[in-house]
């Protein structure tokens, strides 16, 4: 296992289009997190899953955003009707349940540019 | 609101000089504390963490940090900077009131190392 994998690495889209990102966590990790990082800022929590259950969503996650984790494996984050303010780096991280306070393993992120 | 403050968005040091990156958290209950490093176009990598026990923690690449409860601080230090240390550094906390594992990040400090 080579770690957390995110695809695509870069995405340029026109305003109003829908986009979907994928995250493949470390295989034995049952917790998966999504964060958003804008230029010059630290990552901000969006949502997290334990197995297939989505347990918490930030108020940053408007109704245009939806995340899924079918079968508790990979996760997708979809943004509908993209806006320029959605331009950011979207980071995925995973941890085991037993190690939730020890280390989160991050993917390299998907950089979204909305034009 | 629970927050993390990193003093100084940019720090510049000469190669071989002491590195000091400052981090303060806002909580009367000590959280779990982390420092992550982000190299260009890379994901976040854990440098070190404090969960319980000894308040001086050592991490990778010669970095260390000391948890000071009385000052609500977790400053990162390295005795002698290398050119390869140039990166962005994020302090992060998990507040232990729940076991979500949700990380709250500071805004980051960019470390520049001059030859």
């Amino acid at each position: 296992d080579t770690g957390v994998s995110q695809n695509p690495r870069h995405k340029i889209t026109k305003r109003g289009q829908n986009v979907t990102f994928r995250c493949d966590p470390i295989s034995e990790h049952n917790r998966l997190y999504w964060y958003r990082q804008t230029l010059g800022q630290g990552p901000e929590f969006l949502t997290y899953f334990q197995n297939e259950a989505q347990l918490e969503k930030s108020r940053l996650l408007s109704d245009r955003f939806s995340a899924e984790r079918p079968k508790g494996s990979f996760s997708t984050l979809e943004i509908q009707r993209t806006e320029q303010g959605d331009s950011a780096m979207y980071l995925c991280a995973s941890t085991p349940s037993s190690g939730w306070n020890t280390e989160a393993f991050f993917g390299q992120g998907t950089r979204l540019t909305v034009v | 609101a629970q927050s993390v403050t990193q003093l100084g968005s940019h720090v510049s040091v000469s190669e071989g000089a002491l590195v000091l990156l400052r981090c303060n958290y806002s909580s009367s209950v000590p959280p779990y504390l982390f420092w992550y490093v982000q190299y260009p176009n890379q994901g976040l990598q854990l440098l070190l963490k404090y969960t319980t026990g000894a308040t001086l923690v050592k991490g990778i690449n010669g970095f260390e940090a000391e948890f000071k409860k009385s000052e609500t601080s977790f400053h990162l230090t390295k005795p002698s900077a290398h050119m390869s240390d140039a990166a962005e550094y994020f302090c992060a906390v998990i507040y232990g009131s729940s076991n979500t594992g949700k990380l709250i990040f500071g805004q980051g400090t960019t470390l520049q190392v001059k030859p």
Side-chain angles (χ1 to χ4, degrees), chain A residues 9 31 33 35 37 40-45 48 56 91 100-104 106-108, chain B residues 32 34 36 38 41-44 46 49 51 90 94 98-103 105-107:
Chain A
R9 293 289 310 278
R31 289 198 177 188
Y33 301 81
Y35 293 85
Q37 184 179 17
Q41 299 296 320
E44 296 173 291
F45 170 81
Y48 95 98
E56 185 171 337
L91 295 167
W100 59 267
N101 64 339
T102 56
E103 179 176 0
F106 282 83
Q108 293 182 296
Chain B
Y32 302 109
F34 306 83
Y36 281 86
Q38 187 176 34
N41 300 314
Q42 299 290 320
L44 282 79
L46 182 69
K49 62 179 182 279
T51 53
F90 293 96
I94 296 175
S98 68
N99 68 346
T100 67
K102 176 173 65 177
L103 287 159
F105 286 88
Q107 76 275 26

Side-chain angles (χ1 to χ4, degrees), chain B residues 51-99:
Chain B
T51 53
T52 59
T55 57
L56 180 63
V57 293
K58 296 185 186 299
I60 62 172
N61 302 337
F63 285 93
E64 61 182 39
E66 186 172 10
F67 167 57
K68 292 187 176 180
K69 182 178 177 181
S70 60
E71 298 177 6
T72 61
S73 70
F74 191 56
H75 301 332
L76 181 71
T77 61
K78 182 174 181 178
S80 176
H82 293 166
M83 297 296 291
S84 60
D85 294 327
E88 190 155 21
Y89 291 81
F90 293 96
C91 181
V93 305
I94 296 175
Y95 288 102
S97 57
S98 68
N99 68 346

Side-chain angles (χ1 to χ4, degrees), chain A residues 24-76:
Chain A
D24 288 89
I26 293 172
S27 58
E28 62 268 26
H29 288 181
N30 50 12
R31 289 198 177 188
L32 185 149
Y33 301 81
W34 285 100
Y35 293 85
R36 182 173 70 186
Q37 184 179 17
T38 53
L39 201 61
Q41 299 296 320
E44 296 173 291
F45 170 81
L46 292 178
T47 188
Y48 95 98
F49 294 82
Q50 178 151 322
N51 301 313
E52 66 276 7
Q54 188 174 17
L55 296 186
E56 185 171 337
K57 293 193 291 186
S58 163
R59 63 180 182 277
L60 293 175
L61 213 65
S62 76
D63 57 5
R64 295 185 298 105
F65 289 71
S66 62
E68 295 183 339
R69 193 183 182 196
K71 302 180 183 177
S73 56
F74 70 92
S75 176
T76 58

